[in-house]
Amino acid sequence: MEPITLTPHTIDALVARLGRWSAGRGPLYLLLAARLRRLIDEGALPPGAKLPPDRRLATALAVGRTTVVAAYDTLRQEGRLVRRQGSGTRVARPALAPETPRVTETSNPLFLHLLEAPDDVILLSCAAPSQPPPELAEAYRSLVLPDGDLGYHPAGLGALRAAVAARYTARGVPTGPERILVTTGAQQGLSLLTRLLLAPGDGVLVEAPTYPGALDLFREAAAVPLPVAVGPDGVDVAEAVRVMERHRPALAYVVARFQNPTGTVLPPLAGRRLVEAANALGVPLVDDEVLADLAFTPALGESSLGEPALGESSLSSYGDVIAVGSLSKVVWGGLRIGWVRGPAPLIARLARLKALHDLGSDLPSQLAATRLLADFAPVLTARTAAVRAGHDHLRAALARLLPTWSCAPTTGGQTLWVRLPYGDGVSFAQLALRHGVAVLPGATTDALGGSVRHLRLHFLAPPEVLTEAVRRLAAAWAEYTPGPAPERASLHAIVV
């Protein structure tokens, strides 16, 4: 486990790595001591690491100071911590400390919640459909595996590449199969692009806030984030152009349509200006289209596939753009099928890099995806109807039980961007966990260090689950007593 580097500005890193520490049974101080013990024993808190002061950690965890003091004292009695007046609390240095292998891993709550054992916590932190559509089960039932095929297709199954390319072409963005790479979900597509295009110290333009899984990847690559604020109409394009002119980043990453986490949509003229500037400056521009299909109302015009036409909504229609897509948000997260659309030479390089890692994505899943795309309109229609209903239901429940919280309606996507009237998202998320609901604090999405009073909530769960989640959030909010005014978060709080 990668060691956590703790400074006064990175306490959120420790809080994130603690995960759902309070979800078990027993006194809070013993639960906290147990999770700290595991971090120490696994090497995430290495010998000599200085832990946060009692009061600061208590504030971040939304517990009383006595809980932290008792947890620290428990570990001190075990010999795992050393507490000295004037020098604080540190992890003890054993006489023969074992060498800890250094590996790269996430401390992002969005992913860590998925690694926890199942419990009664309602996950509003990681957004994906809660169950697959019946069409997916039927696609698997009717599978016919190919004869005389090794099953290794690093660039993707030819039929699936053609099907994805055909969707782009039919929606106003001409594309051939040679411009499509099939990946194991969009996350792998972003990972491959990061490995290929970024070197340590390279600048990468990102939105603030943005998808935290992308920030994880850029941090792993030791790239330098160049954050640009997101407003009501998406990323500030004028500022993005200035950043590209000044820094010439090795990569620019945006979510133009139903931005994650804010749900905003970049207007066509602003999108065109962004693409033209990136192309003129030679900056590779990545548009994350994972949520682009989830529009509550169809765009003007229909494609020959019976789906809303991308047309002006796709940055790829304005120039050279690397698009990343996936079936995980429209179909099901368990169908690990994504893709990258880009120039053929780039796709060929990515395919060689992918071959190095997995020799190709799962073939039965690709066959099922190919079948789904042959008649995709009913699947998409059902999913967009469901997400719109979830959006309306969650907003109504929040307005009824938490009227002081503010969240603007969205026109698509799968999350609400909620602003708390006071306090901060990190400490409230800790209290919410103890009431049985996991939420994503805004600070984990923002490389500018802002969004500390925001939460990202998804609306993909069934109505009764969303109602219960809001009821639990309201109970937590009734108990919430914020600490000092929140500080601006650091990017180091996202991943260590």
Side-chain angles (χ1 to χ4, degrees), residues 402-421:
L402 289 161
T404 61
W405 289 17
S406 61
C407 61
T410 65
T411 58
Q414 54 188 11
T415 59
L416 289 179
W417 188 234
V418 177
R419 191 178 194 277
L420 305 177

Side-chain angles (χ1 to χ4, degrees), residues 56-405:
R56 289 203 68 228
L57 185 56
T59 298
L61 296 178
V63 298
R65 177 173 174 261
T66 55
T67 296
V68 177
V69 170
Y72 280 175
D73 283 346
T74 298
L75 297 174
R76 178 186 59 79
Q77 293 170 15
E78 296 174 0
R80 286 181 167 85
L81 293 182
V82 176
R83 285 166 67 78
R84 292 192 179 93
Q85 189 73 25
S87 62
T89 303
R90 295 181 180 273
V91 177
R93 296 182 182 275
L96 294 173
E99 199 173 306
T100 304
R102 183 177 182 85
V103 296
T104 301
E105 56 189 45
T106 184
S107 67
N108 195 313
L110 186 151
F111 297 133
L112 291 182
H113 284 309
L114 298 177
L115 297 171
E116 295 281 0
D119 49 31
D120 188 40
V121 173
I122 298 174
L123 294 181
L124 293 189
S125 50
C126 188
S130 57
Q131 62 183 27
E135 290 90 345
L136 179 59
E138 177 58 32
Y140 273 105
R141 277 194 295 268
S142 61
L143 276 186
V144 177
L145 297 179
D147 289 328
D149 188 326
L150 292 176
Y152 298 135
H153 297 269
L157 186 68
L160 180 55
R161 297 176 75 190
V164 173
R167 289 191 76 227
Y168 277 100
T169 300
R171 300 164 81 186
V173 184
T175 305
E178 74 283 355
R179 301 191 66 177
I180 299 295
L181 173 79
V182 176
T183 59
T184 305
Q187 188 71 15
Q188 188 189 51
L190 291 174
S191 177
L192 292 171
L193 286 166
T194 299
R195 287 176 178 269
L196 185 65
L197 300 178
L198 292 180
D202 280 348
V204 53
L205 186 150
V206 296
E207 297 166 315
T210 191
Y211 168 52
L215 292 178
D216 271 352
L217 292 170
F218 304 149
R219 179 99 172 124
E220 178 193 25
V224 178
L226 303 170
V228 177
V230 170
D233 292 321
V235 67
D236 183 339
V237 171
E239 178 60 20
V241 173
R242 285 191 289 269
V243 168
M244 288 190 291
E245 289 174 340
R246 186 180 309 122
H247 298 283
R248 298 298 173 95
L251 182 70
Y253 169 76
V254 299
V255 187
R257 187 164 166 82
F258 311 128
Q259 200 265 351
N260 185 357
T262 65
T264 59
V265 176
L266 191 64
L269 290 179
R272 180 182 295 276
R273 183 184 178 198
L274 180 66
V275 173
E276 290 176 349
N279 289 175
L281 295 168
V283 176
L285 177 62
V286 175
D287 182 18
D288 189 332
E289 296 182 337
V290 169
L291 302 174
D293 283 328
L294 296 179
F296 296 160
T297 55
L300 293 176
E302 293 267 329
S303 76
S304 61
L305 299 177
E307 302 170 19
L310 274 178
E312 293 291 300
S313 68
S314 175
L315 293 189
S316 296
S317 64
Y318 304 134
D320 293 332
V321 174
I322 303 166
V324 177
S326 170
L327 294 178
S328 64
K329 307 306 182 186
V330 175
V331 182
W332 185 46
L335 182 64
R336 305 304 302 144
I337 294 296
W339 56 83
V340 177
R341 176 196 179 276
L346 173 70
I347 295 301
R349 294 177 64 196
L350 288 171
R352 292 193 292 271
L353 179 59
K354 180 173 166 59
L356 180 66
H357 291 278
D358 65 8
L359 296 179
S361 299
D362 177 68
L363 187 57
S365 295
Q366 293 187 66
L367 291 167
T370 304
R371 183 176 178 86
L372 280 177
L373 291 178
D375 188 19
F376 199 51
V379 178
L380 181 56
T381 299
R383 182 63 72 193
T384 52
V387 293
R388 178 164 191 168
H391 167 273
D392 296 345
H393 186 92
L394 180 57
R395 290 196 76 244
L398 290 171
R400 185 173 66 253
L401 297 178
L402 289 161
T404 61
W405 289 17

Side-chain angles (χ1 to χ4, degrees), residues 465-490:
V465 176
L466 291 176
T467 299
E468 174 62 17
V470 176
R471 187 195 67 77
R472 296 182 187 186
L473 288 174
W477 186 248
E479 293 182 13
Y480 181 58
T481 303
E487 301 174 3
R488 291 182 72 80
S490 163

